[in-house]
Amino acid sequence: MPQSQTYTVTGMTCGHCVASVTEEVGEIACVSEVSVVLETGEVTVSSDQGVADDSVRAAVEEADYQLA
């Protein structure tokens, strides 16, 4: 059964920001879906086996943003 975790990302200001975060987080091996809401900074990550917070943090930082 898929699991979802929600994070808040700071510093996103446009569609390019959303695309960058979506791409980096989506590259995590077990991630099946990434949903980003620009207005709130909310990032929902879905996976079949759960994702380590450290992996999400590293992916967000790779996109040049931060978890709140």
Side-chain angles (χ1 to χ4, degrees):
M1 181 173 177
Q3 299 176 358
S4 292
Q5 295 165 268
T6 301
Y7 303 88
T8 301
V9 174
T10 59
M12 295 187 301
T13 59
C14 65
H16 181 265
C17 302
V18 169
S20 295
V21 170
T22 301
E23 180 179 350
E24 290 296 338
V25 175
E27 289 180 1
I28 299 171
C30 57
V31 170
S32 58
E33 184 178 350
V34 180
S35 173
V36 180
V37 179
L38 176 61
E39 294 78 12
T40 61
E42 185 176 276
V43 177
T44 303
V45 180
S46 300
S47 68
D48 292 331
Q49 60 196 61
V51 179
D53 291 341
D54 289 346
S55 296
V56 174
R57 182 177 307 278
V60 168
E61 289 175 356
E62 182 69 27
D64 290 327
Y65 303 97
Q66 299 291 318
L67 289 185

